[in-house]
Amino acid sequence: MTKITHENSKFEIFMDDKKAGELLYDKKDEHILNIYHTEFDEAYSGHGLGKKLVEAAVNFAKENDLKLAATCPYANAVLSKDTNATDVFV
């Protein structure tokens, strides 16, 4: 079972109650969040967890009328291809 938590500028993803990865962001300005780091436990590679974390950040941005930037290469690649993120990715 997958669970995502969000607090203190960090999304964390858990599988079977074990932390499997995280996405970190900071505020670029009042309306833009910058995703600067994603990291995952290699034991969970291939489960699409990174994409799920980026999707959680996209949903958070939409719910809070924010935009997303990404200096993290992984997050930038995911956001560039995600048609659901076109309205929030800058």
Side-chain angles (χ1 to χ4, degrees):
M1 185 169 119
T2 305
K3 174 183 166 189
I4 296 176
T5 62
H6 176 223
E7 64 180 313
N8 300 324
S9 301
K10 177 174 25 176
F11 288 90
E12 293 180 311
I13 192 162
F14 297 83
M15 286 194 64
D16 300 321
D17 296 323
K18 292 183 182 179
K19 183 178 171 183
E22 66 183 11
L23 177 151
L24 306 176
Y25 67 87
D26 56 15
K27 280 193 161 190
K28 189 171 180 178
D29 69 28
E30 188 176 326
H31 301 286
I32 300 175
L33 303 180
N34 175 53
I35 301 170
Y36 66 88
H37 179 73
T38 54
E39 185 174 338
F40 305 95
D41 185 325
E42 297 223 5
Y44 300 102
S45 180
H47 288 91
L49 302 182
K51 188 171 181 181
K52 288 180 183 181
L53 282 175
V54 174
E55 288 171 355
V58 168
N59 291 335
F60 177 77
K62 287 181 177 191
E63 291 167 3
N64 292 279
D65 198 26
L66 298 168
K67 301 290 185 187
L68 290 175
T71 53
C72 166
Y74 175 80
N76 190 295
V78 172
L79 289 167
S80 295
K81 296 175 187 173
D82 186 354
T83 57
N84 188 44
T86 55
D87 57 335
V88 295
F89 183 46
V90 293

